[in-house]
Amino acid sequence: MISKTYGSSVSGVDASIITVEVNVINGTNFYMVGLPDSAVKESQQRVESAIKQCGFFFPRQKVVVNLAPADIRKEGSAYDLPIALGVLKSSGQIEAENLQDYLILGELSLDGKLRPIKGALSIAIEARAKNYKGFILPIENAYEAAIVNNLDIIGVETMEEAIDFFEGKKKIKPLVVDTRELFFDTQNDYEADFSAVQGQENIKRALEIAAAGGHNVIMIGPPGSGKTMLAKRLPSILPPLSLHEALETTKIHSVSGLLDANASLISRRPYRSPHHTISDVALVGGGGNPQPGEISLAHNGVLFLDELPEFKRT
């Protein structure tokens, strides 16, 4: 029997839907097709161990997993949970009839617990755009995804919990986050505040003008004169983030995996200070699977290039 579950891949800061098809038929061996990378191929071992830990069995037949569309490269370990649920559904061990109503992602540990994923916010936005009922994901990412309204965010800690939810044995209340309240409560909560700077009236005036007009600043002075200290406090006098800017910033940090566990909307302007030995890709972004660099991570905030002449010119 063929079963279908739905996951997602992230390219840049945007997500696309991936259909996970599983078929258990006569034969032997485990096959995965659809342009998976090494981390996706290795999911067989994690899935098999997690299934056994949850009291089920891994089929001793031919198991074919297809990740469609096949021309998009699938990377990462977030496909573990949809593959495992697809195997159980296809082998007749669970009777989940509403698997196709939800987007499902999560990395499995060998004991069936779920580990966090990257890009939960971008994936939740895409799930809502494609009219999915909800999004099943690790509980550590639930607050991040709950920024998106009109989508049931179901955070689970283990694969067994997800199975019980689909079979109706356990009701999990969708997580709801008051985005506006959360946003405005923490908007001005900066660790380093500009008001703590004593003296330095000339440079403070220059930074205030730069902050008001969105200008670039070059600070020249001897070591210990306060250049880094002032730059670190510059975000606290920039205009507050709008809700749209906060969503943009959170998406970028989400796909980079830089959000803390149980983190939600970024409401403060980011501050990034890369070392002058940083590589080109780490600074501007890129790679086989494009990832944001330091310039993108400083979007809507401050990018401080300390020891500017030491950076590569090319």
Side-chain angles (χ1 to χ4, degrees), residues 22-33:
V22 181
N23 194 14
V24 178
I25 54 179
N26 291 332
T28 58
N29 220 328
F30 180 94
Y31 299 93
M32 185 176 294
V33 296

Side-chain angles (χ1 to χ4, degrees), residues 154-223:
I154 309 296
V156 293
E157 295 183 0
T158 64
M159 186 178 79
E160 191 171 7
E161 197 174 344
I163 294 170
D164 289 344
F165 170 76
F166 280 115
E167 292 199 310
K169 297 177 182 177
K170 182 175 183 178
K171 291 187 177 181
I172 302 176
K173 189 176 180 181
L175 180 64
V176 178
V177 172
D178 189 335
T179 307
R180 294 186 179 277
E181 181 182 351
L182 179 71
F183 176 67
F184 290 114
D185 281 352
T186 59
Q187 200 170 33
N188 297 311
D189 187 16
Y190 287 95
E191 293 180 5
D193 198 281
F194 200 76
S195 62
V197 181
Q198 303 296 316
Q200 304 272 23
E201 299 303 327
N202 289 335
I203 184 60
K204 281 163 66 176
R205 175 64 176 160
L207 289 176
E208 287 164 3
I209 294 170
H215 305 301
N216 297 321
V217 179
I218 182 167
M219 293 187 284
I220 302 173

Side-chain angles (χ1 to χ4, degrees), residues 53-208:
Q53 288 294 322
C54 292
F56 299 95
F57 65 87
F58 194 84
R60 294 304 171 196
Q61 297 171 276
K62 183 177 180 180
V63 179
V64 181
V65 178
N66 178 40
L67 306 174
D71 59 343
I72 297 177
R73 185 164 180 78
K74 322 302 184 305
E75 298 186 343
S77 53
Y79 301 101
D80 291 0
L81 184 57
I83 290 172
L85 293 177
V87 168
L88 292 175
K89 172 71 173 175
S90 185
S91 59
Q93 297 181 70
I94 61 174
E95 297 294 333
E97 300 297 333
N98 55 347
L99 275 179
Q100 298 185 25
D101 296 336
Y102 291 85
L103 208 63
I104 306 168
L105 284 173
E107 177 187 342
L108 286 171
S109 58
L110 297 182
D111 60 359
K113 292 182 179 178
L114 291 179
R115 300 181 188 276
I117 61 173
K118 293 181 180 180
L121 177 57
S122 298
I123 295 167
I125 292 171
E126 181 67 13
R128 183 181 65 178
K130 299 297 184 183
N131 297 318
Y132 283 92
K133 181 180 179 181
F135 183 14
I136 311 293
L137 75 170
I139 199 165
E140 291 90 344
N141 300 111
Y143 278 95
E144 175 190 342
I147 296 170
V148 180
N149 54 13
N150 299 323
L151 184 71
D152 290 348
I153 302 300
I154 309 296
V156 293
E157 295 183 0
T158 64
M159 186 178 79
E160 191 171 7
E161 197 174 344
I163 294 170
D164 289 344
F165 170 76
F166 280 115
E167 292 199 310
K169 297 177 182 177
K170 182 175 183 178
K171 291 187 177 181
I172 302 176
K173 189 176 180 181
L175 180 64
V176 178
V177 172
D178 189 335
T179 307
R180 294 186 179 277
E181 181 182 351
L182 179 71
F183 176 67
F184 290 114
D185 281 352
T186 59
Q187 200 170 33
N188 297 311
D189 187 16
Y190 287 95
E191 293 180 5
D193 198 281
F194 200 76
S195 62
V197 181
Q198 303 296 316
Q200 304 272 23
E201 299 303 327
N202 289 335
I203 184 60
K204 281 163 66 176
R205 175 64 176 160
L207 289 176
E208 287 164 3

